[in-house]
Amino acid sequence: MSELSFFAQPIVQTRGAEGPRVVADTWYWQALETDASVPNSLTGPTVLNLATWLEQRGKLDDVGVPLGVRLTGEVVPEALAGHLEGLTLIAIEFPTFSDGRGFSVARYLRQQLGWQGELRATGDVLIDTVNYLARCGFDSFQLKPGHEPTLALQQLRWFTRPYQRGYAPLGQQEAA
Amino acid sequence: MYVYSEIDQELVDQRVEQFRDQTRRYLDGSLSDDDFKPLRLQNGLYIQRHAPMLRVAIPYGLLASGQLRTLATIARRWDRGYGHFTTRQNIQFNWPELEDVPDILAELAKVQMHAIQTSGNCIRNTTTDHFAGVAPDELINPLVWCEIIRQWSTFHPEFAFLPRKFKIAVSGAESDRAAVGVHDIGLQATRGEDGGIGFRVWVGGGLGRTPVLASLIQPFVPAAELLTYLEAVLRVYNLHGRRDNKYKARIKILVRDLTPQVFADQVDAEWRSNRNVASVLTQTEIDRIAARFTWPEYLTEASPDTVAAQAALEPEFARWLRTNTHAHRVEGYVAVSASLKASGVPPGDLTADQMDAVADLADRYSFGELRITHEQNLVFADVQRADLYAMWSALRALNLATPNIGLLTNIIACPGGDFCSLANAVSIPVAAAIQERFANIDYVHDIGELDLNISGCINACGHHHVGHIGILGVDKNGEEWYQVTVGGRQSGGLRPDLGDAFPKGGGGAAIGRIIGRAFSRDQIPDVVATLMTTYLEYRDSEAERFIDVVERIGLEPFKVAVYGEDQRGRRREVSHV
């Protein structure tokens, strides 16, 4: 039996026609230090650890709830290649915001694996990193304690005409 | 000068507002020290031994007179009346207060300047040589390509939090004056088999604790693919560079640990499978950026050349011409160095008054522009021959005409222990002592070309590893001692054999070797003097430079001269780990 937690934390969501907004998280989160068994009762959308997702895929077809997977800092993203079907959300955890691997992992998932579902940044996510995260393909953000999600919305409005080509936030047209 | 578009200006203005907000949140306690640190570093702000230090970017070393006047204003208003030019073509102010920094950045933004990404684990200022665009031997104009890279790297969302800092240098010619062999990425312009322009890509060079020469990872990247290739290199580094140990986190460690072959293969695989097509450069795009520069409108009619006559009358002017003026690709024009290495002045420092005066000179004699060199001097790149005498007279009055460019007393020195909390030892007083000892300019000219570089600690910001003579401050039992290295060079050495699988060294760089046990500070001028007399003894002609003699006869005669035959006075060469 592996633990599930429900935080209902306010998160920043940019996905969807309503545009950037703060909503309560609807996902259940499998605890990180746990075995790779499928949680007993899945009552709502659930984010599984990568090990659980990869090992138990065969048993997860009829769970009847949306499923997500969480990647932690050391994970090699290629592990997900070919295993995206059935997922609604991928969460990438930042062990510290200055560990910038997650930005490249996001690019890999979006550009190379063609991931179209929700891509969430969790862990050490600051108001100040949301802008870069969005431009690497993240479309939802779980900010760390002490960082107010509504202030993050403001940061998303900066640097709207950046230098780099091919890094427009999801759903936005690239500036000409 | 590159003239900002509306978008360029908007980006720096927004950055100022972002940093103002971050500073406010830090000062009111809602942003922790740890969280604020990477953010302020990416705006060039260090908390230093005595006061914060602000590093302002001078992209590829190019400065307009109006910008220099603003730097003077900043030095006066928020600092102690001077600034320090660095070995990466930036300027540092050592005394601003944290609360004032947002206002300083706003002042800079008004003249199209900033402190963006001058520190932190991100892509730093892209540097080039100070004769970019005017040297006679260039295949490309490095200024344009540095601006292309500057734009690509500024606020790049994927590479803002690399394992460590990242430094790129661009050389526009086969003859490398940008030290491409000792940068994280060195780009050397070259022609492809079909005659098209592209770049040799050198990766994994660097100084610091573990000096290493770069490996040639890609012999030819077509110009249009420069940014897509850079992205591939950066992505491999971002994903696989070490993050467990700050001293093993540069890309040079990754290239070594993987081996250049494996590293090159990984970059190649990344490039082929995940190339960002949107980053491919079109000629239109390159031309658009080039067109935003103000290029000098050279006069073509010849004025009577009185320089030779004046030189015959004034030996000091003649001597200055020999060392401080340089060839220009346009007939009738010359590049002029202003030496910031006068005896008794910390190398690379300029007072606010000098800055204003230099700005005036740039307006009068050099199309309103100047360059900062990585040797901590200034260059007026486009001076008419007819103006040389007037230029020299004006520079002399400002104490900026010491005829020592390329010579012993043109010392490169980091700020050292007087200013920097990382330093083990002071460097500026050592430079001063050497300059005083070699005050005889005739002797210095007789010695000829000599690069002497001083670093106050193992981080090597003074680039001592690539000095013909390098001096490194070390801490032994709480005391300041100095190691001396000989035989380094930033370029121009044995050309790497480009037929090798992964040749090393860019434009022919070499790392100096320690000659023996360390010295106390007051011994250093004697040591340098002994090295000089040894050189003069052994050289086969005036044309044979110090570095030539070192490469011909090796270190042994110099070691014997300095330490004597006594073995106990010497120690085995220490290899860099």
Side-chain angles (χ1 to χ4, degrees):
Chain A
M1 162 72 167
S2 56
E3 271 194 58
L4 289 181
S5 304
F6 185 72
F7 304 108
Q9 187 183 338
I11 59 162
V12 174
Q13 176 79 263
T14 61
R15 202 176 171 77
E18 312 97 297
R21 61 206 181 277
V22 179
V23 299
D25 188 14
T26 55
W27 289 78
Y28 288 79
W29 294 78
Q30 184 180 28
L32 274 172
E33 321 78 36
T34 184
D35 59 44
S37 60
V38 180
N40 267 358
S41 54
L42 298 180
T43 53
T46 303
V47 182
L48 301 169
N49 301 327
L50 182 64
T52 306
W53 171 250
L54 292 177
E55 288 171 38
Q56 308 292 343
R57 263 195 92 188
K59 302 185 193 139
L60 291 166
D61 284 339
D62 301 317
V63 288
V65 295
L67 293 174
V69 74
R70 166 159 52 177
L71 305 182
T72 54
E74 297 311 317
V75 158
V76 171
E78 288 80 358
L80 265 182
H83 298 288
L84 294 180
E85 205 178 307
L87 284 174
T88 303
L89 172 145
I90 301 176
I92 297 178
E93 182 146 313
F94 285 80
T96 155
F97 79 93
S98 56
D99 181 336
R101 285 176 291 179
F103 295 92
S104 287
V105 172
R107 280 297 279 185
Y108 170 79
L109 292 172
R110 288 291 192 207
Q111 303 294 315
Q112 269 204 274
L113 296 192
W115 172 246
Q116 307 269 7
E118 185 173 340
L119 188 57
R120 184 175 297 187
T122 69
D124 201 29
V125 177
L126 278 60
I127 291 165
D128 312 89
T129 54
V130 163
N131 188 295
Y132 284 163
L133 290 165
R135 288 170 55 215
C136 286
F138 289 94
D139 52 8
S140 64
F141 312 86
Q142 237 160 280
L143 272 67
K144 72 190 254 177
H147 283 244
E148 187 52 54
T150 44
L151 293 183
L153 291 179
Q154 184 188 68
Q155 293 263 340
L156 287 169
R157 291 196 284 273
W158 271 335
F159 310 120
T160 47
R161 292 192 290 176
Y163 286 130
Q164 297 76 23
R165 299 282 167 84
Y167 283 88
L170 233 64
Q172 274 187 33
Q173 283 279 11
E174 184 118 270
Chain B
M1 175 192 167
Y2 175 78
V3 178
Y4 274 14
S5 66
E6 197 197 321
I7 291 178
D8 296 314
Q9 188 68 49
E10 177 181 274
L11 288 170
V12 298
D13 289 341
Q14 290 186 340
R15 179 61 156 211
V16 171
E17 285 322 299
Q18 184 191 45
F19 186 68
R20 195 181 287 286
D21 187 65
Q22 288 164 340
T23 304
R24 182 190 56 74
R25 284 160 53 212
Y26 173 68
L27 291 173
D28 77 19
S30 49
L31 199 52
S32 69
D33 279 340
D34 283 346
D35 287 351
F36 186 54
K37 182 174 174 185
L39 302 176
R40 62 169 168 82
L41 286 177
Q42 300 217 13
N43 286 287
L45 183 58
Y46 289 82
I47 310 293
Q48 271 289 90
R49 173 177 295 210
H50 304 291
M53 185 266 276
L54 180 66
R55 180 180 294 145
V56 174
I58 301 174
Y60 35 91
L62 184 61
L63 208 52
S65 56
Q67 294 175 322
L68 185 55
R69 290 193 183 93
T70 291
L71 295 177
T73 302
I74 290 170
R76 283 193 191 98
R77 185 164 161 197
W78 285 293
D79 202 345
R80 294 194 189 174
Y82 67 93
H84 171 78
F85 291 104
T86 76
T87 51
R88 294 220 78 241
Q89 299 183 304
N90 293 314
I91 185 171
Q92 288 173 179
F93 295 106
N94 276 99
W95 315 102
E97 298 289 334
L98 170 58
E99 295 82 0
D100 291 333
V101 173
D103 287 340
I104 296 173
L105 296 181
E107 198 65 28
L108 288 168
K110 287 185 202 162
V111 289
Q112 305 183 3
M113 294 186 80
H114 59 76
I116 295 165
Q117 292 173 209
T118 56
S119 187
N121 294 336
C122 52
I123 305 170
R124 305 283 190 91
N125 189 21
T126 298
T127 55
T128 185
D129 83 284
H130 33 281
F131 301 126
V134 303
D137 62 347
E138 286 180 330
L139 291 173
I140 57 160
N141 187 335
L143 300 174
V144 175
W145 289 92
C146 286
E147 177 58 26
I148 289 170
I149 297 169
R150 182 191 78 87
Q151 293 189 10
W152 167 80
S153 63
T154 300
F155 307 144
H156 197 298
E158 191 180 345
F159 305 129
F161 300 102
L162 298 169
R164 202 69 177 97
K165 62 181 94 170
F166 206 91
K167 301 179 179 178
I168 301 175
V170 178
S171 171
E174 287 280 343
S175 172
D176 166 48
R177 294 175 290 273
V180 295
V182 288
H183 277 78
D184 297 295
I185 291 180
L187 297 166
Q188 197 170 26
T190 189
R191 279 202 191 283
E193 276 155 15
D194 62 353
I197 290 292
F199 295 92
R200 287 195 197 114
V201 184
W202 302 86
V203 180
L207 304 177
R209 282 156 203 267
T210 51
V212 139
L213 299 178
S215 302
L216 184 64
I217 293 302
Q218 179 55 250
F220 188 79
V221 170
E225 296 288 341
L226 177 65
L227 299 183
T228 63
Y229 193 79
L230 289 178
E231 260 181 41
V233 175
L234 265 300
R235 186 165 300 125
V236 169
Y237 176 55
N238 192 39
L239 284 171
H240 302 297
R242 284 178 69 166
R243 292 179 187 263
D244 59 310
N245 180 345
K246 180 173 139 175
Y247 303 117
K248 300 279 178 200
R250 296 290 285 275
I251 197 172
K252 64 189 177 188
I253 305 292
L254 181 65
V255 173
R256 182 196 68 186
D257 288 350
L258 288 178
T259 74
Q261 175 74 69
V262 172
F263 177 80
D265 289 345
Q266 286 190 6
V267 171
D268 204 63
E270 177 62 40
W271 189 36
R272 289 181 196 293
S273 65
N274 206 11
R275 187 166 146 267
N276 182 3
V277 174
S279 287
V280 173
L281 288 165
T282 60
Q283 193 58 51
T284 308
E285 179 64 17
I286 296 164
D287 292 343
R288 185 186 68 80
I289 290 184
R292 292 212 70 87
F293 279 81
T294 55
W295 300 113
E297 279 159 33
Y298 298 110
L299 299 176
T300 46
E301 78 240 0
S303 10
D305 194 326
T306 50
V307 175
Q310 286 155 337
L313 289 175
E314 292 203 55
E316 279 192 45
F317 175 55
R319 189 160 52 196
W320 177 84
L321 284 173
R322 274 204 299 281
T323 52
N324 293 25
T325 66
H326 320 274
H328 194 292
R329 63 178 175 77
V330 175
E331 176 104 26
Y333 282 83
V334 161
V336 171
S337 287
S339 169
L340 270 53
K341 310 293 176 70
S343 192
V345 177
D349 279 9
L350 208 58
T351 66
D353 287 344
Q354 284 174 318
M355 289 182 199
D356 282 336
V358 166
D360 288 344
L361 286 180
D363 281 339
R364 197 170 324 139
Y365 298 119
S366 195
F367 298 95
E369 294 183 5
L370 59 140
R371 320 289 181 85
I372 313 306
T373 83
H374 68 275
E375 295 172 356
Q376 303 169 309
N377 291 314
L378 306 177
V379 163
F380 299 93
D382 303 289
V383 178
Q384 284 192 277
R385 283 183 61 79
D387 291 330
L388 281 175
Y389 189 82
M391 187 63 144
W392 172 66
S393 307
L395 287 172
R396 251 201 331 175
L398 295 168
N399 201 19
L400 299 176
T402 311
N404 63 357
I405 303 302
L407 306 181
L408 169 57
T409 52
N410 178 36
I411 298 171
I412 298 179
C414 70
D418 292 317
F419 293 89
C420 176
S421 55
L422 300 172
N424 290 131
V426 296
S427 53
I428 292 171
V430 180
I434 295 170
Q435 281 172 333
E436 197 185 303
R437 179 63 173 267
F438 292 92
N440 184 331
I441 194 72
D442 290 318
Y443 187 53
V444 167
H445 270 248
D446 187 29
I447 290 168
E449 185 182 317
L450 194 113
D451 291 343
L452 189 152
N453 302 357
I454 306 175
S455 300
C457 79
I458 205 169
N459 288 298
C461 300
H463 292 186
H464 67 280
H465 295 297
V466 291
H468 300 150
I469 297 174
I471 299 174
L472 168 64
V474 294
D475 178 270
K476 263 195 336 190
N477 307 317
E479 290 174 356
E480 291 181 340
W481 289 85
Y482 295 86
Q483 275 181 356
V484 175
T485 61
V486 168
R489 55 195 311 165
Q490 54 175 307
S491 59
L494 278 176
R495 281 309 175 77
D497 179 355
L498 296 173
D500 281 349
F502 291 97
K504 286 200 181 324
I511 309 287
R513 287 160 291 155
I514 300 173
I515 60 171
R517 69 166 164 27
F519 302 95
S520 67
R521 194 200 309 179
D522 48 25
Q523 289 176 299
I524 289 293
D526 280 340
V527 172
V528 177
T530 303
L531 293 172
M532 293 302 98
T533 50
T534 309
Y535 154 62
L536 291 172
E537 246 176 73
Y538 280 97
R539 74 176 179 188
D540 58 23
S541 71
E542 266 182 40
E544 200 184 26
R545 302 163 301 168
F546 174 81
I547 189 64
D548 296 326
V549 172
V550 168
E551 286 172 2
R552 176 167 61 81
I553 71 176
L555 257 51
E556 199 60 26
F558 294 95
K559 290 181 183 181
V560 167
V562 171
Y563 293 103
E565 292 285 356
D566 177 5
Q567 290 286 345
R568 281 173 301 165
R570 292 145 76 173
R571 60 186 249 254
R572 277 190 303 281
E573 258 177 52
V574 172
S575 54
H576 291 281
V577 177

